[in-house]
Amino acid sequence: MNESTLISLSLFALFAPLAGFIITLLTGKRLKTAYLIENFIISLVLLASIIALFVKLAYYVDKDIVSEITWIDLGIVPIMGKLSIELGILLDNVSLIMMFVVSLISALVHYYSIEYMRGDKRYNRYFAYLGIFTFSMMGIVLTHNILMMYIFWELVGLSSYLLIGFWYEKKSASDAGKKAFIVNRIGDLGMFAGILMIFVTYHTFTFDKIFAAIGEGILPFNSEFWLTATGILLFCGAIGKSAQFPLHVWLPDAMEGPTPVSALIHAATMVAAGVYMVTRIFVMLTGDAMLFIATIGALSAFIPATIALTQTDIKKVLAYSTVSQLGYMVMALGVGAYAFGFFHLVTHAFFKAGLFLGSGSVIHSMHHEQDIMKMGGLKKKMPITYWTFLFYSLAISGIPLTSGFLSKDGILASAMSFGSLTGYHIFAVVGFLVALLTAFYMFRLLILTFHGEPKDHHKFDHAHESPALMTVPLIVLAILSIFAFYTLNPLDAQQGWVLNKWITTPTSVVPESARYPFMVNHETHGSAEAHGQIIHSVEYTESLHHSHYPAMFLSLFVALLGIFIAYMMYEKKKMDADKIAGSMKPLYNFSLNKWYFDELYGVIAIGASLRLTEILKWFDNTIIDGIVNGSGWITKVTSAISGWFDNWVIDGAVNAVAYISGFFGIALKKTQTGKVQTYVALAVFGVMVFYFAMRLL
Amino acid sequence: METSTILNYLLFVPLAGALLLMVFPSANKNAIRYFGLFTSLVTFIISLLVYYSFDSGVYGFDKFQFEFKYSWISDLSISYYVGVDGLSLILVLLTTFLTPLTLLSTWNSIQIKVKEFTFFMLVLEMGMIGVFISLDLFLFYVFWEAMLIPMYFIIGIWGGERRIYASVKFFIYTMFGSLLMLVAIIWLAVYASSSTGYFTTNLLELYKVSPALGLDIQTYLFFAFALSFAIKVPLFPLHTWLPDAHVEAPTAGSVILAGVLLKMGTYGLVRFCLPLFPQASVEYAGWISLLAVIGVIYGALVAMVQKDMKKLVAYSSVSHLGFVVLGIFAFTPEGMQGAIIQMINHGLSTGALFLLVGFIYERTHTRQIADYGGIAAVVPVYSAVMLIVALSSIGLPGLNGFIGEFLILIGAFKSPVLSNWMYAIVAASGVIFAAVYLLWMYQRIFFGPVKKLELRGLTDMNGKELFIMVTLIIFIVWIGVYPTTFLQMTDKYSSALVNSILSVNGIIIR
């Protein structure tokens, strides 16, 4: 197995889904079984990803492999010389692990959808869309430059648009698709500005070259402030794509899409792309940029968690939970916990995809009922769905022996040590608080759905366990949420192979004065960077070590507390949920109405801009076109006046001459009688007049 | 000077075709259509021949190929002088490519006075090609004005209800600008004669002497030219003839108007304003870019509330052409390349949008967005094609619009002349609005339940329509995925032009 095989496998995994999309779309109309082509292709992609990951980890674990081609040749540019834009792929451990995650979940969702979507009138087209999504996502994962990432970034936005609005007959679905696309674009504007900043400064889009240049001390506008700004601008893209505060509003609405899509795109992969992007640009983030990122992450972890407490739509709860968990990852990266942030992305992808597929299984058997208040007692009817759902819930709550515990605990420990080193304890506090809320709302969801008595007997009677194509993916994802896949010590992820061997925190290239103090390694400066292993100072490593056990016990305690409260409230009914809600009505309403974000944006952004456009339309029609038509009118009036003048004055003068001549002509013609006597008489008269006149003078 | 006659055929073939049409009996509509299509295809093939023997490795903004010169008014040194470089050629190709497709699209929609219509279309084609290949200002002016006449008739005879108002407005508005340009041409030639020793409108000779004029004279001349071009672009606030002309024009008229005629404005800026008046161009770049950026945002916002599909697309043109002007006045190779490719993109995407609106209008006889709803299920192919074209207009990566906008924004961002990144950032936010108005229109037309009973009876695109659209989409994707094919035609030209202007102004790039 050599490098070129690895590159070929990755390129196959990238482009095969595109071929699947095109073939399925073109043949889908006539060929009833076109979806099988897409399923076959995704299986091959999964196989290729597994082999590639294996080869990479077995033979090239410390080597990054790059393959690139020239895309746009800009020719000779003043001062900069020859300039071209490259496209290419970067195969490192992070990208290949991510490629595996994407292709696995994508494949499972494909198989699951065969049953879930059966009977849909656009069945084949659905699979075609899954194909283009997988292609776009692979592009983001594999790319070696920020521009190509942006290109595929927009393409996943498109596939997301198509899939959210898949049932476009429903207005809410097409609204949600449009909202997702536009809200994402707002974030992308920032990202685009960041990309411009990078290109103008470094004349390249390639990550490695950018980082090398920053390492040499080249900064945008020669200032650390602008390096911070560039990092934050790029992060804006992640705010949109990963549904972070304040652009998180699109994700809950995106639940209008088919549930397997929610699992694939809006839980496991696409929304994680923002987090993935931050890991890619991690080394160029300054301390200030990271603090900003951590703050956004903390807000995004906290706000949706409080909203999820009161929602009654099974998918909405999971959607807010997703935003909250993504906030966790972003916060982790912000506090410098690179490896844990990425690790949580992977573990969350599996259990959250599982949760969504599980909810899909429930919705499927309940005839598209999504209100958990109308469910209950499904445990006996749907054992596989129930037990896997329980396991996922344990994982997301962070109970030991699950993968979720490993990653969550790591993030909390990092947040704690970050607090002790920098004084910003708030992130740890938010982390534990969110852990409590998460455990509570997940078990509220679980108990209301599966335990107790059925509330809608009609639907309950028809409910049944889903067929194997739907339950097997649930089992696979549950297995992947067991700790043993990542480490042999269920209490410490850092001893496992994933964090110990595969994912190592890269060395920051930011000038030391702009880093977090703890990311500057004073003691082992030269040798550490040479090995490319350690970026944190000794104090940080020690601090992390110290916070490991406190974080573990505390997180276990809050998780169990959350589960216990949910159990007492909804299972034992020792506490009356309604009464508690009633006793803090304003808070309850605030949560139920999602902190009124949609209303706020509705008034500010949409209302105001529609108003503005109406005003501009009026301005265009009345003022600008008014000036044009006005000058036309003035010309017309002027010409009318000129016409009148011409007709009456100038032509009048001409006519007057003619008239006067005519008048005298008529008057004098009387004298032309043709009789000689008259002429003689007149002549004599004339001579006499002349004579007397002379005499008088 | 090496002479070549091939460019003459580009002008001669459509004209000869138009004249030959006279002998056809008016009743035989299909023969007329076939003959018109045939003529435009021959023209297209000739332009391809030019493309294949064109050497894109020539560096310079005043180096032309396939030149042909014939003395016309020898006392004034005015000659019939044509030639192409990358910029001309790519726009000639756009013209010869769009004309047959447009003629094909009128097969059913134009039923009255087919002969006259085809005649005017061919004359129009000749006029447009003439504008792009003239190397003599006088000749250029003749083509520039001559081309108004067929367009005037196309709008005025085959247009909608307010066609007379629209065609007169179109004619007078553009004529107003052109007259100032004529004055400026004469003035320029007179000024130049002091250094050349004789009166001439030969562009290449004027290129040499004109930049030496004082800034005050350059300023007057620059604005006289620029006003005429800005009306044609149209640059905010000179755009109001455009929505009226588009709405009233028949589909074919709109396609040519948006596809090619607007490009004549931006072409004029690049070909004449910049190299003839380099100091004035740089001096006023900030103000013109400001208008361009206002146009980007303003056009998009006004497009958002339009109820008529054609009007919406027309305002989107104001927005897109704003990008092109911004790219031109950034004075960077990226910006210039982006502006040129964006001219092509706009021709393809907006042309396609107008065609699509025309297709549905032929079936339902309404362009009001509110009259539609939920037709995605009824006409799936049409809705898929519309989505691709709309996304290309939105600037989705992978399709053509992105390449142009992206290069323009890079250019504007690093521009040594504008030296303020706000232009790029504000213009970039126009991209968000583009998504808003196009996706909103798309949603209202295609999504939801089928709104009216009669919409259920809509037929999907027929073979001919599909052929036209697929041809356009091939290029939309081609430019999006591998723009080098097109960019390399003009990359030497762009850097030569920018370098020359910057060095005349003594601007050092950081």
Side-chain angles (χ1 to χ4, degrees), chain B residues 472-489:
Chain B
L472 286 166
I473 287 173
I474 286 173
F475 283 90
I476 284 174
V477 175
W478 188 347
I479 296 179
V481 175
Y482 194 71
T484 302
T485 321
F486 304 90
L487 288 173
Q488 71 183 10
M489 286 172 74

PDB file of all heavy atoms in Angstrom, chain B residues 472-489:
ATOM      1  N   LEU B 472     -26.854  26.020 -22.488  1.00  0.00           N
ATOM      2  CA  LEU B 472     -26.427  27.094 -21.593  1.00  0.00           C
ATOM      3  C   LEU B 472     -25.835  26.534 -20.303  1.00  0.00           C
ATOM      4  O   LEU B 472     -24.814  27.017 -19.804  1.00  0.00           O
ATOM      5  CB  LEU B 472     -27.614  28.012 -21.276  1.00  0.00           C
ATOM      6  CG  LEU B 472     -28.039  28.941 -22.404  1.00  0.00           C
ATOM      7  CD1 LEU B 472     -29.395  29.549 -22.113  1.00  0.00           C
ATOM      8  CD2 LEU B 472     -27.016  30.037 -22.606  1.00  0.00           C
ATOM      9  N   ILE B 473     -26.470  25.485 -19.774  1.00  0.00           N
ATOM     10  CA  ILE B 473     -26.014  24.948 -18.488  1.00  0.00           C
ATOM     11  C   ILE B 473     -24.635  24.313 -18.619  1.00  0.00           C
ATOM     12  O   ILE B 473     -23.817  24.381 -17.700  1.00  0.00           O
ATOM     13  CB  ILE B 473     -27.062  23.969 -17.921  1.00  0.00           C
ATOM     14  CG1 ILE B 473     -28.264  24.767 -17.417  1.00  0.00           C
ATOM     15  CG2 ILE B 473     -26.488  23.139 -16.796  1.00  0.00           C
ATOM     16  CD1 ILE B 473     -29.424  23.934 -16.990  1.00  0.00           C
ATOM     17  N   ILE B 474     -24.358  23.729 -19.788  1.00  0.00           N
ATOM     18  CA  ILE B 474     -23.014  23.172 -19.992  1.00  0.00           C
ATOM     19  C   ILE B 474     -21.960  24.252 -19.731  1.00  0.00           C
ATOM     20  O   ILE B 474     -20.983  24.034 -19.013  1.00  0.00           O
ATOM     21  CB  ILE B 474     -22.872  22.611 -21.424  1.00  0.00           C
ATOM     22  CG1 ILE B 474     -23.655  21.296 -21.538  1.00  0.00           C
ATOM     23  CG2 ILE B 474     -21.405  22.382 -21.774  1.00  0.00           C
ATOM     24  CD1 ILE B 474     -23.716  20.738 -22.936  1.00  0.00           C
ATOM     25  N   PHE B 475     -22.219  25.438 -20.271  1.00  0.00           N
ATOM     26  CA  PHE B 475     -21.242  26.506 -20.079  1.00  0.00           C
ATOM     27  C   PHE B 475     -21.277  27.055 -18.659  1.00  0.00           C
ATOM     28  O   PHE B 475     -20.252  27.451 -18.109  1.00  0.00           O
ATOM     29  CB  PHE B 475     -21.451  27.618 -21.112  1.00  0.00           C
ATOM     30  CG  PHE B 475     -20.924  27.232 -22.461  1.00  0.00           C
ATOM     31  CD1 PHE B 475     -21.726  26.599 -23.384  1.00  0.00           C
ATOM     32  CD2 PHE B 475     -19.600  27.452 -22.773  1.00  0.00           C
ATOM     33  CE1 PHE B 475     -21.228  26.211 -24.606  1.00  0.00           C
ATOM     34  CE2 PHE B 475     -19.082  27.073 -23.998  1.00  0.00           C
ATOM     35  CZ  PHE B 475     -19.903  26.449 -24.926  1.00  0.00           C
ATOM     36  N   ILE B 476     -22.462  27.083 -18.080  1.00  0.00           N
ATOM     37  CA  ILE B 476     -22.570  27.549 -16.692  1.00  0.00           C
ATOM     38  C   ILE B 476     -21.718  26.669 -15.776  1.00  0.00           C
ATOM     39  O   ILE B 476     -20.986  27.161 -14.925  1.00  0.00           O
ATOM     40  CB  ILE B 476     -24.059  27.551 -16.261  1.00  0.00           C
ATOM     41  CG1 ILE B 476     -24.777  28.752 -16.895  1.00  0.00           C
ATOM     42  CG2 ILE B 476     -24.197  27.579 -14.750  1.00  0.00           C
ATOM     43  CD1 ILE B 476     -26.265  28.788 -16.656  1.00  0.00           C
ATOM     44  N   VAL B 477     -21.777  25.354 -16.015  1.00  0.00           N
ATOM     45  CA  VAL B 477     -20.989  24.448 -15.183  1.00  0.00           C
ATOM     46  C   VAL B 477     -19.510  24.506 -15.573  1.00  0.00           C
ATOM     47  O   VAL B 477     -18.622  24.503 -14.714  1.00  0.00           O
ATOM     48  CB  VAL B 477     -21.537  23.007 -15.308  1.00  0.00           C
ATOM     49  CG1 VAL B 477     -20.664  22.034 -14.551  1.00  0.00           C
ATOM     50  CG2 VAL B 477     -22.962  22.949 -14.793  1.00  0.00           C
ATOM     51  N   TRP B 478     -19.270  24.574 -16.862  1.00  0.00           N
ATOM     52  CA  TRP B 478     -17.887  24.608 -17.348  1.00  0.00           C
ATOM     53  C   TRP B 478     -17.118  25.768 -16.714  1.00  0.00           C
ATOM     54  O   TRP B 478     -16.025  25.593 -16.156  1.00  0.00           O
ATOM     55  CB  TRP B 478     -17.904  24.713 -18.874  1.00  0.00           C
ATOM     56  CG  TRP B 478     -16.570  24.575 -19.544  1.00  0.00           C
ATOM     57  CD1 TRP B 478     -15.331  24.615 -18.964  1.00  0.00           C
ATOM     58  CD2 TRP B 478     -16.353  24.362 -20.947  1.00  0.00           C
ATOM     59  NE1 TRP B 478     -14.367  24.464 -19.919  1.00  0.00           N
ATOM     60  CE2 TRP B 478     -14.945  24.297 -21.131  1.00  0.00           C
ATOM     61  CE3 TRP B 478     -17.192  24.234 -22.053  1.00  0.00           C
ATOM     62  CZ2 TRP B 478     -14.387  24.107 -22.399  1.00  0.00           C
ATOM     63  CZ3 TRP B 478     -16.620  24.045 -23.300  1.00  0.00           C
ATOM     64  CH2 TRP B 478     -15.245  23.968 -23.474  1.00  0.00           C
ATOM     65  N   ILE B 479     -17.698  26.943 -16.788  1.00  0.00           N
ATOM     66  CA  ILE B 479     -17.006  28.100 -16.208  1.00  0.00           C
ATOM     67  C   ILE B 479     -16.859  27.918 -14.702  1.00  0.00           C
ATOM     68  O   ILE B 479     -15.850  28.296 -14.116  1.00  0.00           O
ATOM     69  CB  ILE B 479     -17.766  29.400 -16.530  1.00  0.00           C
ATOM     70  CG1 ILE B 479     -17.761  29.644 -18.037  1.00  0.00           C
ATOM     71  CG2 ILE B 479     -17.136  30.594 -15.814  1.00  0.00           C
ATOM     72  CD1 ILE B 479     -18.512  30.881 -18.460  1.00  0.00           C
ATOM     73  N   GLY B 480     -17.861  27.322 -14.086  1.00  0.00           N
ATOM     74  CA  GLY B 480     -17.798  27.144 -12.635  1.00  0.00           C
ATOM     75  C   GLY B 480     -16.722  26.173 -12.208  1.00  0.00           C
ATOM     76  O   GLY B 480     -16.067  26.362 -11.192  1.00  0.00           O
ATOM     77  N   VAL B 481     -16.528  25.111 -12.993  1.00  0.00           N
ATOM     78  CA  VAL B 481     -15.599  24.070 -12.583  1.00  0.00           C
ATOM     79  C   VAL B 481     -14.203  24.320 -13.147  1.00  0.00           C
ATOM     80  O   VAL B 481     -13.204  24.141 -12.463  1.00  0.00           O
ATOM     81  CB  VAL B 481     -16.120  22.690 -13.028  1.00  0.00           C
ATOM     82  CG1 VAL B 481     -15.111  21.616 -12.708  1.00  0.00           C
ATOM     83  CG2 VAL B 481     -17.435  22.390 -12.338  1.00  0.00           C
ATOM     84  N   TYR B 482     -14.130  24.738 -14.389  1.00  0.00           N
ATOM     85  CA  TYR B 482     -12.813  24.936 -14.984  1.00  0.00           C
ATOM     86  C   TYR B 482     -12.771  26.246 -15.763  1.00  0.00           C
ATOM     87  O   TYR B 482     -12.813  26.271 -16.993  1.00  0.00           O
ATOM     88  CB  TYR B 482     -12.448  23.749 -15.891  1.00  0.00           C
ATOM     89  CG  TYR B 482     -10.990  23.739 -16.248  1.00  0.00           C
ATOM     90  CD1 TYR B 482     -10.037  23.429 -15.287  1.00  0.00           C
ATOM     91  CD2 TYR B 482     -10.556  24.065 -17.531  1.00  0.00           C
ATOM     92  CE1 TYR B 482      -8.699  23.439 -15.595  1.00  0.00           C
ATOM     93  CE2 TYR B 482      -9.209  24.075 -17.846  1.00  0.00           C
ATOM     94  CZ  TYR B 482      -8.287  23.763 -16.867  1.00  0.00           C
ATOM     95  OH  TYR B 482      -6.955  23.781 -17.158  1.00  0.00           O
ATOM     96  N   PRO B 483     -12.709  27.362 -15.046  1.00  0.00           N
ATOM     97  CA  PRO B 483     -12.777  28.664 -15.704  1.00  0.00           C
ATOM     98  C   PRO B 483     -11.549  29.003 -16.527  1.00  0.00           C
ATOM     99  O   PRO B 483     -11.594  29.936 -17.339  1.00  0.00           O
ATOM    100  CB  PRO B 483     -12.921  29.637 -14.536  1.00  0.00           C
ATOM    101  CG  PRO B 483     -12.322  28.934 -13.384  1.00  0.00           C
ATOM    102  CD  PRO B 483     -12.572  27.483 -13.597  1.00  0.00           C
ATOM    103  N   THR B 484     -10.465  28.260 -16.325  1.00  0.00           N
ATOM    104  CA  THR B 484      -9.215  28.595 -17.011  1.00  0.00           C
ATOM    105  C   THR B 484      -9.402  28.691 -18.518  1.00  0.00           C
ATOM    106  O   THR B 484      -8.822  29.566 -19.166  1.00  0.00           O
ATOM    107  CB  THR B 484      -8.159  27.546 -16.668  1.00  0.00           C
ATOM    108  OG1 THR B 484      -8.013  27.533 -15.263  1.00  0.00           O
ATOM    109  CG2 THR B 484      -6.827  27.875 -17.287  1.00  0.00           C
ATOM    110  N   THR B 485     -10.223  27.789 -19.082  1.00  0.00           N
ATOM    111  CA  THR B 485     -10.483  27.826 -20.518  1.00  0.00           C
ATOM    112  C   THR B 485     -10.833  29.230 -20.985  1.00  0.00           C
ATOM    113  O   THR B 485     -10.387  29.682 -22.036  1.00  0.00           O
ATOM    114  CB  THR B 485     -11.674  26.913 -20.852  1.00  0.00           C
ATOM    115  OG1 THR B 485     -11.590  25.748 -20.048  1.00  0.00           O
ATOM    116  CG2 THR B 485     -11.683  26.551 -22.320  1.00  0.00           C
ATOM    117  N   PHE B 486     -11.634  29.913 -20.189  1.00  0.00           N
ATOM    118  CA  PHE B 486     -12.117  31.226 -20.592  1.00  0.00           C
ATOM    119  C   PHE B 486     -11.208  32.340 -20.081  1.00  0.00           C
ATOM    120  O   PHE B 486     -10.960  33.313 -20.773  1.00  0.00           O
ATOM    121  CB  PHE B 486     -13.544  31.413 -20.094  1.00  0.00           C
ATOM    122  CG  PHE B 486     -14.453  30.322 -20.582  1.00  0.00           C
ATOM    123  CD1 PHE B 486     -14.629  29.168 -19.839  1.00  0.00           C
ATOM    124  CD2 PHE B 486     -15.070  30.420 -21.811  1.00  0.00           C
ATOM    125  CE1 PHE B 486     -15.423  28.141 -20.306  1.00  0.00           C
ATOM    126  CE2 PHE B 486     -15.866  29.400 -22.282  1.00  0.00           C
ATOM    127  CZ  PHE B 486     -16.036  28.261 -21.529  1.00  0.00           C
ATOM    128  N   LEU B 487     -10.717  32.149 -18.869  1.00  0.00           N
ATOM    129  CA  LEU B 487      -9.880  33.194 -18.284  1.00  0.00           C
ATOM    130  C   LEU B 487      -8.601  33.395 -19.073  1.00  0.00           C
ATOM    131  O   LEU B 487      -8.094  34.499 -19.190  1.00  0.00           O
ATOM    132  CB  LEU B 487      -9.538  32.844 -16.834  1.00  0.00           C
ATOM    133  CG  LEU B 487     -10.679  32.957 -15.836  1.00  0.00           C
ATOM    134  CD1 LEU B 487     -10.251  32.425 -14.479  1.00  0.00           C
ATOM    135  CD2 LEU B 487     -11.144  34.390 -15.698  1.00  0.00           C
ATOM    136  N   GLN B 488      -8.060  32.310 -19.641  1.00  0.00           N
ATOM    137  CA  GLN B 488      -6.763  32.453 -20.294  1.00  0.00           C
ATOM    138  C   GLN B 488      -6.859  33.264 -21.584  1.00  0.00           C
ATOM    139  O   GLN B 488      -5.848  33.754 -22.074  1.00  0.00           O
ATOM    140  CB  GLN B 488      -6.151  31.088 -20.573  1.00  0.00           C
ATOM    141  CG  GLN B 488      -6.864  30.321 -21.662  1.00  0.00           C
ATOM    142  CD  GLN B 488      -6.264  28.952 -21.861  1.00  0.00           C
ATOM    143  OE1 GLN B 488      -5.444  28.515 -21.063  1.00  0.00           O
ATOM    144  NE2 GLN B 488      -6.658  28.264 -22.916  1.00  0.00           N
ATOM    145  N   MET B 489      -8.090  33.426 -22.103  1.00  0.00           N
ATOM    146  CA  MET B 489      -8.219  34.264 -23.299  1.00  0.00           C
ATOM    147  C   MET B 489      -7.842  35.704 -23.011  1.00  0.00           C
ATOM    148  O   MET B 489      -7.404  36.438 -23.885  1.00  0.00           O
ATOM    149  CB  MET B 489      -9.653  34.226 -23.826  1.00  0.00           C
ATOM    150  CG  MET B 489     -10.005  32.925 -24.512  1.00  0.00           C
ATOM    151  SD  MET B 489     -11.756  32.879 -24.901  1.00  0.00           S
ATOM    152  CE  MET B 489     -11.820  34.009 -26.272  1.00  0.00           C
TER     153      MET B 489
END
